[in-house]
Amino acid sequence: MTLLRGLFRDWPIKRKLLAVILATTTVAVGLAAAGILWTDSFFYRRLLERDLAALSEIIAENSAAPLAFEDAKAASETLAALRAREHLVGACIYRNDSSVLARYFRSGTRAVCPPRREELAVMPTAGAITISRPITLRGKRLGTLSIEYDLGEVTERRTLYGTTVLAILALSSILAALASARLRDKVAEPVFRLVDTAGAVSRTRDYSIRAERLTGDEMGVLVDAFNDMLSRVQSRDEELQRLLLDREEANRQLLRLNEDLERFAFVASHDLQEPIRMITVYTQLLQKRALLDQTPETAGFVHNIVGGARRMRELVDDLRAYAELGAPNEPDVSIDLNLALEKARDNLALSIRSSGAEIRMADLPQVRAYEGHMVALLQNLIGNAIKYRGPAAPTITVGYREAEELVFSVEDNGIGIAPEFREQVFVPFKRLHGPTIPGSGLGLSICKRVVERYGGRIWVDGAESGGSIFRFALPLEMLVSRSEKKAV
Amino acid sequence: MNRLPLILVIEDNPADVQLLELALSEAGIAADLMTFADGANAMRWIASCGDPNPSGPCPDLAIVDLNLPKYDGLELLNALRRNSGLADVPALVMSSSTSPRDEGRVRSLPNTEYLAKPSDLDAYAEVGAVIARLLARATHGG
């Protein structure tokens, strides 16, 4: 039953309508047929009983004389007249002592006389009616007439009626199905149209499509609501598209601006190198050739010129390194970060020696990257740690651990960074210290740019010593293999 | 050796040429300098060096700036190497570029050294040393 209900639930609407119509027709015709059949059986049986009563009365009257004269032959002839009634099974004329004077049996039936009764009696038995009637002559009882009549006629009628009903049922079902086809279409069509429209919208994502309102019934209301919803979706979709285009345009502009800026920085930094070099070298040449008055004062002037030019060169170098990070990438290859760290340390050899810095290095892995980037990253972090050292000689620890990312750390015992400045230090040209500690303000920006170029992140925490721990995390995909070298 | 070694210098900045001359004299190198400010003239001059009997003198060493007008230093070096008479002449590329990319490109060429133009007077001593070494190779190595 549950299965049937489930089946019905998933049927298409047209089939459901047809099923309802057919069920209704069947029930209506069936009920009408059952009523007619029952009524007919009832009345026909009554009719039959009355007919039998009349028949038995005639036979009884006609057999009174033969019974009185014990004329069996005449009595038999009287009974033989019953042959015309094909449903009459048998009839017997009894004497008063219950012996049989005459009998008649339909051919092919068992020769048993139907029972007799003292009074007039109609006895319904299975499939037959038996009637027993006293035979009298001038008020004196002479014997009894018993007639058995089968009900085959009733069964025949019932079969006939049943067949007719089935035929009518079939015919009416077909007619109902045919006649309702248009009706079903009329009811189902708005549903189909709506389904088609909804399908088209979801397929083409064209929200300008509208469903046609065909009726004023609930389907009409549904179509209106659907169209209203579509209008809203459409306007929102258009809004979204417009915003998307705006954003793309803004992105393009930003990208162009960024490219221009990088090109400018690159060219400017490159072309600034030359004049700075000239200032430095020729000033030194003047000094060397003793073409300046060698007073302590002029020596100080020259020192300031050369110092200023050197700082300017460092700034330009950093600027160029920063600008170059925006240039197309070198192909990434497998590099040993231990070697990159050694290169960074070599580049910093002078300041490491002069500051007396100690650098402790962990065992670093092999990664897929451009070596120049990794050297610049490590060099800037270590150089930073030396530059912002405390009163004690700098101790710098490079650490590494593998988790969901490759996490590196550069810890120092320097002057540290107050928590409120820990995000700002990565902003280009953001410097926390005045001219006492020279710097371009680009070192950590370069680090950030390198790390982000590889999809990583960089941040700084405070160390227990009061110094800083710079950490950067690179994606695990960059890992080629752990270095074989043992930690130093 | 009857004549002084000849050095071809392609450098558009006269100040750099002057500094180069100073570096040579500081290092005690006696050499003739043939100086060009751009590649086109230099190429015309060396064109005959591929002939069996060159019409003019041919350089023992080429010192080339990387950033030059008309032809850049790398194009010039390639032209130099295509010239059969100069294919084995040592070359020194000097550039103010400290870009590892440029340096890598130069170092991949045969018989070619790379030096960044010094930003400090003291560093010119190294320039002199490198030139002396290259000249020794050119005149003795054949």
Side-chain angles (χ1 to χ4, degrees), chain A residues 274-289 291-292 302 305-306, chain B residues 13-20 22 119-121 124:
Chain A
E274 281 299 304
I276 296 165
R277 204 165 56 80
M278 290 297 143
I279 293 169
T280 312
V281 173
Y282 276 95
T283 311
Q284 289 175 329
L285 206 56
L286 282 178
Q287 191 181 28
K288 190 179 176 192
R289 294 282 170 92
L291 294 174
L292 295 169
V302 169
I305 293 172
V306 172
Chain B
N13 186 351
D16 271 318
V17 177
Q18 187 183 39
L19 289 171
L20 191 64
L22 287 171
S119 303
D120 194 277
L121 192 62
Y124 271 94

Coordinates of all heavy atoms in Angstrom, one line a residue, chain A residues 274-289 291-292 302 305-306, chain B residues 13-20 22 119-121 124:
Chain A
E274 N 74.0 55.0 -11.0 CA 75.1 55.6 -11.7 C 75.6 56.9 -11.0 O 76.7 57.0 -10.6 CB 74.8 55.8 -13.2 CG 74.9 54.5 -14.0 CD 76.3 54.0 -14.0 OE1 77.3 54.7 -14.3 OE2 76.5 52.8 -13.5
P275 N 74.7 57.9 -10.9 CA 75.1 59.1 -10.3 C 75.6 58.9 -8.9 O 76.6 59.6 -8.5 CB 73.9 60.0 -10.3 CG 72.8 59.2 -10.9 CD 73.3 57.9 -11.4
I276 N 75.0 58.0 -8.1 CA 75.5 57.8 -6.7 C 76.9 57.3 -6.8 O 77.8 57.7 -6.0 CB 74.6 56.8 -6.0 CG1 73.2 57.3 -5.9 CG2 75.1 56.4 -4.7 CD1 72.2 56.3 -5.5
R277 N 77.2 56.3 -7.7 CA 78.5 55.7 -7.8 C 79.5 56.8 -8.1 O 80.6 56.9 -7.6 CB 78.5 54.7 -8.9 CG 79.5 53.6 -8.8 CD 79.2 52.4 -9.7 NE 79.0 52.8 -11.1 CZ 80.0 53.1 -11.9 NH1 81.2 52.9 -11.5 NH2 79.8 53.5 -13.1
M278 N 79.1 57.7 -9.1 CA 80.0 58.7 -9.5 C 80.4 59.7 -8.3 O 81.5 60.0 -8.1 CB 79.4 59.6 -10.6 CG 79.3 58.8 -11.9 SD 81.0 58.4 -12.5 CE 80.7 56.8 -13.2
I279 N 79.3 60.0 -7.6 CA 79.6 60.9 -6.4 C 80.5 60.3 -5.5 O 81.5 60.9 -5.0 CB 78.2 61.2 -5.7 CG1 77.3 62.1 -6.6 CG2 78.5 61.9 -4.4 CD1 75.9 62.2 -6.1
T280 N 80.3 59.0 -5.1 CA 81.2 58.3 -4.2 C 82.6 58.2 -4.6 O 83.5 58.7 -4.0 CB 80.6 56.9 -3.9 OG1 79.2 57.0 -3.7 CG2 81.3 56.3 -2.7
V281 N 82.7 57.7 -5.8 CA 84.1 57.4 -6.3 C 84.9 58.7 -6.5 O 86.0 58.8 -6.1 CB 84.0 56.5 -7.6 CG1 85.4 56.4 -8.2 CG2 83.4 55.2 -7.3
Y282 N 84.2 59.7 -7.2 CA 85.0 60.9 -7.4 C 85.3 61.7 -6.2 O 86.3 62.3 -6.0 CB 84.3 61.8 -8.5 CG 84.7 61.3 -9.9 CD1 83.9 60.4 -10.6 CD2 85.9 61.7 -10.5 CE1 84.2 60.0 -11.8 CE2 86.2 61.3 -11.7 CZ 85.4 60.4 -12.4 OH 85.7 60.0 -13.7
T283 N 84.4 61.6 -5.2 CA 84.7 62.3 -3.9 C 85.9 61.6 -3.2 O 86.8 62.3 -2.7 CB 83.5 62.2 -3.0 OG1 82.4 62.6 -3.7 CG2 83.7 63.1 -1.7
Q284 N 85.9 60.3 -3.3 CA 87.0 59.5 -2.7 C 88.3 59.9 -3.5 O 89.4 60.0 -2.9 CB 86.7 58.0 -2.8 CG 85.7 57.6 -1.8 CD 85.3 56.1 -2.0 OE1 85.4 55.6 -3.1 NE2 84.9 55.5 -0.9
L285 N 88.2 60.0 -4.8 CA 89.3 60.4 -5.6 C 89.9 61.7 -5.2 O 91.1 61.9 -5.1 CB 88.9 60.4 -7.1 CG 90.0 60.1 -8.1 CD1 90.7 58.7 -7.8 CD2 89.4 60.0 -9.5
L286 N 89.0 62.7 -5.1 CA 89.5 64.0 -4.6 C 90.3 63.9 -3.3 O 91.3 64.5 -3.1 CB 88.3 65.0 -4.4 CG 87.7 65.5 -5.7 CD1 86.4 66.4 -5.3 CD2 88.7 66.4 -6.4
Q287 N 89.6 63.1 -2.4 CA 90.2 63.0 -1.1 C 91.6 62.3 -1.2 O 92.6 62.7 -0.6 CB 89.3 62.1 -0.2 CG 89.7 62.1 1.3 CD 88.8 61.3 2.0 OE1 88.2 60.3 1.5 NE2 88.6 61.6 3.3
K288 N 91.7 61.3 -2.0 CA 92.9 60.5 -2.2 C 94.0 61.4 -2.8 O 95.2 61.3 -2.4 CB 92.6 59.3 -3.0 CG 93.8 58.3 -3.0 CD 93.5 57.1 -3.9 CE 94.7 56.2 -3.9 NZ 94.5 55.2 -5.0
R289 N 93.6 62.2 -3.8 CA 94.7 63.0 -4.5 C 95.0 64.2 -3.7 O 95.7 65.1 -4.2 CB 94.1 63.4 -5.8 CG 93.9 62.3 -6.8 CD 95.2 61.9 -7.4 NE 95.1 60.6 -8.2 CZ 94.8 60.6 -9.5 NH1 94.7 61.7 -10.1 NH2 94.7 59.4 -10.1
L291 N 93.4 66.8 -3.0 CA 93.0 68.0 -3.7 C 92.1 68.9 -2.8 O 91.7 70.0 -3.2 CB 92.3 67.7 -5.0 CG 93.2 67.1 -6.1 CD1 92.4 66.6 -7.3 CD2 94.3 68.0 -6.5
L292 N 91.7 68.3 -1.7 CA 90.9 69.1 -0.7 C 91.9 69.5 0.4 O 92.8 68.8 0.7 CB 89.8 68.3 -0.2 CG 88.7 67.9 -1.2 CD1 87.8 66.8 -0.6 CD2 87.9 69.1 -1.6
V302 N 83.8 65.2 3.5 CA 83.9 64.1 2.5 C 83.3 62.9 3.1 O 82.6 62.1 2.4 CB 85.4 63.9 2.2 CG1 85.6 62.6 1.5 CG2 86.0 65.0 1.4
I305 N 79.7 63.1 2.7 CA 79.2 62.9 1.3 C 79.2 61.4 0.9 O 78.2 60.9 0.4 CB 80.2 63.7 0.3 CG1 80.0 65.2 0.5 CG2 79.8 63.3 -1.2 CD1 81.1 66.0 -0.3
V306 N 80.3 60.8 1.3 CA 80.5 59.4 1.0 C 79.4 58.5 1.7 O 78.8 57.6 1.2 CB 81.9 58.9 1.3 CG1 82.0 57.4 1.1 CG2 82.9 59.6 0.3
Chain B
N13 N 79.9 56.2 -20.8 CA 80.1 57.2 -19.8 C 81.6 57.6 -19.7 O 82.4 56.7 -19.3 CB 79.6 56.7 -18.5 CG 79.7 57.7 -17.4 OD1 80.2 58.8 -17.6 ND2 79.1 57.4 -16.2
P14 N 82.0 58.8 -20.2 CA 83.4 59.2 -20.2 C 84.0 59.0 -18.8 O 85.2 58.7 -18.6 CB 83.4 60.6 -20.6 CG 82.0 60.8 -21.3 CD 81.1 59.9 -20.6
A15 N 83.2 59.3 -17.8 CA 83.8 59.2 -16.4 C 84.2 57.8 -16.1 O 85.2 57.6 -15.4 CB 82.7 59.7 -15.4
D16 N 83.4 56.8 -16.6 CA 83.8 55.4 -16.3 C 85.1 55.1 -17.1 O 85.9 54.3 -16.6 CB 82.7 54.5 -16.7 CG 81.7 54.3 -15.6 OD1 82.2 54.1 -14.4 OD2 80.5 54.3 -15.8
V17 N 85.2 55.6 -18.3 CA 86.4 55.4 -19.1 C 87.6 55.9 -18.3 O 88.7 55.3 -18.2 CB 86.3 56.0 -20.5 CG1 87.6 55.8 -21.2 CG2 85.2 55.4 -21.3
Q18 N 87.4 57.1 -17.7 CA 88.5 57.8 -17.0 C 88.9 56.9 -15.8 O 90.1 56.7 -15.5 CB 88.1 59.2 -16.5 CG 89.2 60.0 -15.9 CD 88.7 61.3 -15.4 OE1 87.6 61.4 -14.9 NE2 89.5 62.3 -15.5
L19 N 87.9 56.4 -15.1 CA 88.1 55.6 -13.9 C 88.9 54.3 -14.3 O 89.7 53.8 -13.5 CB 86.8 55.3 -13.2 CG 86.2 56.5 -12.4 CD1 84.8 56.1 -11.9 CD2 87.0 56.9 -11.2
L20 N 88.5 53.8 -15.5 CA 89.2 52.6 -15.9 C 90.6 52.9 -16.2 O 91.5 52.1 -15.8 CB 88.4 52.1 -17.2 CG 88.8 50.7 -17.7 CD1 88.4 49.7 -16.7 CD2 88.1 50.5 -19.1
L22 N 92.5 55.1 -14.8 CA 93.1 55.3 -13.5 C 93.4 53.9 -12.9 O 94.5 53.7 -12.4 CB 92.2 56.1 -12.6 CG 92.1 57.6 -12.9 CD1 91.1 58.3 -12.0 CD2 93.5 58.3 -12.6
S119 N 81.5 50.7 -6.5 CA 80.9 51.8 -5.9 C 81.8 52.4 -4.9 O 81.4 53.3 -4.1 CB 79.6 51.4 -5.2 OG 78.8 50.8 -6.2
D120 N 83.1 51.9 -4.9 CA 84.0 52.4 -3.9 C 85.4 52.4 -4.6 O 85.7 51.5 -5.4 CB 84.1 51.4 -2.7 CG 84.8 52.0 -1.5 OD1 86.0 51.9 -1.5 OD2 84.1 52.5 -0.7
L121 N 86.1 53.5 -4.3 CA 87.4 53.7 -5.0 C 88.4 52.5 -4.8 O 89.0 52.0 -5.7 CB 88.1 55.0 -4.5 CG 89.3 55.5 -5.4 CD1 88.8 55.8 -6.8 CD2 89.9 56.7 -4.7
Y124 N 88.5 49.5 -7.1 CA 89.1 49.5 -8.5 C 90.4 48.7 -8.6 O 90.8 48.4 -9.6 CB 89.3 51.0 -8.9 CG 88.1 51.5 -9.6 CD1 87.1 52.2 -8.9 CD2 87.9 51.2 -11.0 CE1 86.0 52.7 -9.6 CE2 86.8 51.7 -11.6 CZ 85.8 52.4 -10.9 OH 84.7 52.8 -11.6

